Amino acid sequence: MDLPRSLEPYRLSKPELAVFVSGVTSMGLEILAVRIVAPQFGSHIYTVGGLLTVFLAALSLGYWQGGKLADTASNRQMTWLLLGTAVYIAIVIYASDMLLYYTATIPLSPRYASLPAIIILFGPPTYLLGFISPYSAELSTKEGIGAASGHVYALGTIGSIIGAGATTYLLIPAMSVDQIGLLFGVILVGTALVLSLPRPSKRTVVAVAAISILLVASTSSASLGLDPRGEIVYETQTPHQQLEVVDNGDVRTMYLDGARHSATDLEDPDRNVFTYTRYFHLTMLLADDPNDVDRVLFIGGGGYTGPQHFEEYYDVTIDVVEIDHEVTAAAERYFGLEQSDNLRAHEGDGRQFLYNSDEQYDVIVLDAFKRDQVPFEMTTLEFMSLVDDSLSDDGILLANVISAPDGSASEFYRAQYKTMDEVFPTVYSFRTSDAPAVQNIQLIATKDEMRLSAADLERRNQDRTLPIDLTDEIDNAMAEPATDDVPVLKDDRAAVDALLDPMLGQQYVIEETDTTPGAGSTNATSASASPSSAD
């Protein structure tokens, strides 16, 4: 007995399959593109906005051209469009690092620096995929232009939803960028083969075989390249970022989205590789009595080198809030982190952790800022008030801010200073480099009305038996900055992106210590990309 037509299982026609797969692939590539481009150009609003602009422009151009040629559409033409897209994905897998490097040298405003790379890498394949929708509408069996176009674009949108969701929640946490690219390429090749059935031409079969080999080869070749940073001992995609652990001589460094976050000396674990982490100990000079410091909170874990030094040097209980579980796992495996009753890691957002916690901390270290992407919710007046409530009566806040000490690139530092000064009676600032460049600036806020002078801090440095000599750090204390031209940051208006704009493309100096235990900084490294911090 035949089933009523409405109850028969629905089967996608070949044009419908093509438009569905094009939706999956185009949106999946758009999500993946952020991970590909961010290590070179950062993941700030201009990179993300550039990606959206290029993808939408390329799709629109493909729709337009495809509509003009739709009267000649056929399954065979869509087969070659899908195969051509797969070839370009192989190029993206193999050559993306090289293309990103060379396009970064084009003399453009930092706002637009990522556009050439985005256009070259993702414009052509997205343009080709744009042809599929009008071709599928032309080949649709639906009666009427409205019914055909509505059906096709609904299928394409459903594919886009699946592509975005699967890439975000399933693929990126489980696979590398190259592996995800390979998967998209294989899906396109497989769909092209289905479109050519039941009697694919010899030319199509050869093309399918050759492109499949090209995709696999591009993935293999991409993984064989030498990394100028050193030996990659571990890499993965997390739900939040790309995570790499790189060994260069005796120094092991954690990179997140291509930016250095933490470093440890494998031969001398007590060494603070990045100079700015030595400034964390200034909190013990500003405390009335360091022996009264019992509970410490770090917001931002990274390699957990800062928390581990505090656990080793001081009789304190330490909580660390790190939003990315994979980062904590890498710290345990590669940076010597051992959780205990004295050092506990918590997965989650720093602000939410404070909001839900009843603990009172004597020291809070805010080390979750990035140069190109600052979590604005942890910069605002409301957040500083929450920190104030979470600190003991003599509590101290240290915020590691990436900015310039003066000039146009100092706007974020000065706005953060002004915001903290609205909540706390006294705010200190310390530069970590003598260079007039973007660097790690340490802002320390206390509840003490009396401001200590550099001489007062030096006396405490001499009298207290701290594990490191902080003379150099004290010498880098800065005067109160001018803040008349910068805003107080608030939840409803924290213009962080605008404040970070002047820093885009500027040199970022990261001072490093020498290999002598307890020594101060003797050298610096710099980068013009988008380094960040969470040591």
Side-chain angles (χ1 to χ4, degrees), residues 36-96:
I36 294 174
V37 177
Q40 180 66 48
F41 295 103
S43 54
H44 48 71
I45 191 171
Y46 302 115
T47 300
V48 176
L51 284 167
L52 291 172
T53 301
V54 169
F55 269 83
L56 290 173
L59 278 174
S60 297
L61 186 59
Y63 294 153
W64 178 58
Q65 290 288 342
K68 291 175 63 177
L69 301 173
D71 57 348
T72 64
S74 66
N75 288 336
R76 180 175 178 274
Q77 287 179 314
M78 288 195 294
T79 294
W80 289 103
L81 285 169
L82 296 177
L83 289 175
T85 306
V87 169
Y88 211 91
I89 287 178
I91 295 173
V92 171
I93 294 172
Y94 179 75
S96 59

Side-chain angles (χ1 to χ4, degrees), residues 7 19-20 29 62 88 184 214 223 312 333 346 418 420:
L7 297 179
V19 78
F20 176 79
L29 278 177
Y88 211 91
F184 287 146
L214 178 65
S223 64
E312 178 183 357
R333 183 175 179 183
H346 307 267
K418 185 175 185 177
M420 294 170 66

Side-chain angles (χ1 to χ4, degrees), residues 151 202 214 261:
H151 183 69
K202 182 178 179 181
L214 178 65
H261 269 243

Side-chain angles (χ1 to χ4, degrees), residues 5 51 69 101 105 201 221 255 259 266 322 370 383 464 483 502:
R5 201 175 162 79
L51 284 167
L69 301 173
Y101 175 80
T105 63
S201 66
S221 300
Y255 288 81
L266 298 176
E322 169 56 55
K370 297 182 180 180
F383 174 73
R464 297 179 178 181
T483 58

Side-chain angles (χ1 to χ4, degrees), residues 65-195:
Q65 290 288 342
K68 291 175 63 177
L69 301 173
D71 57 348
T72 64
S74 66
N75 288 336
R76 180 175 178 274
Q77 287 179 314
M78 288 195 294
T79 294
W80 289 103
L81 285 169
L82 296 177
L83 289 175
T85 306
V87 169
Y88 211 91
I89 287 178
I91 295 173
V92 171
I93 294 172
Y94 179 75
S96 59
D97 288 344
M98 180 182 65
L99 286 170
L100 288 169
Y101 175 80
Y102 283 109
T103 55
T105 63
I106 298 174
L108 289 175
S109 164
R111 286 193 179 193
Y112 311 109
S114 63
L115 282 177
I118 295 170
I119 292 170
I120 294 171
L121 287 172
F122 303 106
T126 309
Y127 168 72
L128 292 177
L129 290 174
F131 278 74
I132 300 298
S133 290
Y135 277 23
S136 296
E138 179 69 23
L139 297 172
S140 174
T141 58
K142 299 291 181 181
E143 294 184 5
I145 296 174
S149 59
H151 183 69
V152 163
Y153 286 108
L155 276 175
T157 302
I158 292 171
S160 295
I161 293 170
I162 293 174
T167 305
T168 301
Y169 298 109
L170 298 177
L171 300 182
I172 287 178
M175 303 168 68
S176 70
V177 168
D178 292 343
Q179 289 169 338
I180 298 171
L182 174 62
L183 176 62
F184 287 146
V186 169
I187 290 173
L188 290 169
V189 169
T191 304
L193 182 59
V194 170
L195 294 182

Side-chain angles (χ1 to χ4, degrees), residues 240-462:
H240 301 276
Q241 56 217 331
Q242 180 187 21
L243 188 160
E244 299 167 289
V245 178
V246 179
D247 284 354
N248 188 347
D250 294 334
V251 175
R252 171 167 291 171
T253 304
M254 177 182 287
Y255 288 81
L256 299 178
D257 279 342
R260 293 188 294 172
H261 269 243
S262 300
T264 187
D265 189 322
L266 298 176
E267 294 297 320
D268 181 13
D270 289 336
R271 174 189 167 209
N272 294 84
V273 177
F274 294 157
T275 301
Y276 78 86
T277 61
R278 292 172 52 89
Y279 288 75
F280 295 172
H281 300 272
L282 286 170
T283 56
M284 293 301 184
L285 287 186
L286 289 165
D288 289 338
D289 185 348
N291 293 320
D292 291 337
V293 176
D294 295 321
R295 297 195 65 86
V296 177
L297 172 67
F298 280 79
I299 299 177
Y304 284 71
T305 56
Q308 288 184 85
H309 286 156
F310 263 60
E311 181 191 28
E312 178 183 357
Y313 296 154
Y314 308 114
D315 183 19
V316 294
T317 300
I318 303 167
D319 289 315
V320 183
V321 185
E322 169 56 55
I323 197 169
D324 194 336
H325 169 74
E326 295 291 338
V327 169
T328 300
E332 291 177 327
R333 183 175 179 183
Y334 297 102
F335 289 83
L337 171 63
E338 295 182 3
Q339 296 193 49
S340 65
D341 291 339
N342 293 329
L343 198 167
R344 293 172 296 184
H346 307 267
E347 181 182 356
D349 174 79
R351 180 163 175 168
Q352 288 300 312
F353 178 86
L354 286 179
Y355 184 80
N356 294 320
S357 175
D358 295 326
E359 294 288 352
Q360 290 282 295
Y361 293 97
D362 301 302
V363 172
I364 294 178
V365 177
L366 177 57
D367 193 21
F369 291 164
K370 297 182 180 180
R371 180 188 176 196
D372 68 311
Q373 188 185 30
V374 172
F376 85 91
E377 70 275 9
M378 287 192 279
T379 68
T380 64
L381 187 69
E382 291 82 358
F383 174 73
M384 295 304 164
S385 297
L386 178 60
V387 170
D388 182 43
D389 293 339
S390 301
L391 286 168
S392 60
D393 291 340
D394 299 321
I396 298 171
L397 166 66
L398 181 146
N400 175 37
V401 175
I402 300 178
S403 186
D406 48 46
S408 61
S410 70
E411 290 181 359
F412 175 58
Y413 149 58
R414 293 185 292 115
Q416 188 68 93
Y417 185 104
K418 185 175 185 177
T419 304
M420 294 170 66
D421 196 43
E422 288 281 316
V423 176
F424 294 94
T426 307
V427 181
Y428 303 83
S429 60
F430 299 82
R431 63 192 301 156
T432 59
S433 173
D434 293 332
V438 175
Q439 58 188 267
N440 296 82
I441 294 176
Q442 310 302 302
L443 293 176
I444 306 179
T446 74
K447 297 186 178 185
D448 194 338
E449 297 279 355
M450 184 184 69
R451 174 178 287 273
L452 298 175
S453 66
D456 294 329
L457 292 175
E458 185 53 45
R459 278 193 295 271
R460 290 188 176 189
N461 185 47
Q462 294 174 0

